[in-house]
Amino acid sequence: LRSTTNKVLLAANAEGDNLAAKVYIINKSTDASLYVTVTINAQTIGKLYGGDFMLMPYDGATNITVAPSVATTMNLEYIVFVE
């Protein structure tokens, strides 16, 4: 990620649609002051600071977007686990 604008991480109707899926997201930054804001369908659900991760249910019918706190390179990793 190289800008502070929202980027779609997972689009609606992606893998896991209507299934019991989970999404794992980790901020791979080593600087604890750098964060990404995680949003689901325009509702902010939180911030992941450097080294933080989250695991949450995902139905595939919603957009998950992220917005970095800085415009420099920030690395995220994510995976969707589907039944």
Side-chain angles (χ1 to χ4, degrees):
L1 301 175
R2 291 188 176 168
S3 74
T4 57
T5 58
N6 276 343
K7 303 289 184 199
V8 176
L9 190 65
L10 290 169
N13 297 318
E15 285 291 323
D17 197 17
N18 295 320
L19 299 173
K22 305 290 185 276
V23 174
Y24 171 82
I25 306 169
I26 185 169
N27 180 346
K28 297 297 285 184
S29 175
T30 57
D31 184 341
S33 68
L34 301 179
Y35 64 87
V36 293
T37 302
V38 180
T39 305
I40 298 176
N41 279 348
Q43 178 67 42
T44 299
I45 62 167
K47 296 178 180 176
L48 292 176
Y49 288 86
D52 286 349
F53 70 92
M54 66 185 307
L55 181 65
M56 65 180 181
Y58 181 60
D59 65 2
T62 56
N63 284 333
I64 297 176
T65 60
V66 293
S69 61
V70 294
T72 57
T73 300
M74 186 180 300
N75 293 313
L76 294 181
E77 288 181 0
Y78 70 96
I79 188 169
V80 178
F81 299 97
V82 184
E83 66 179 26

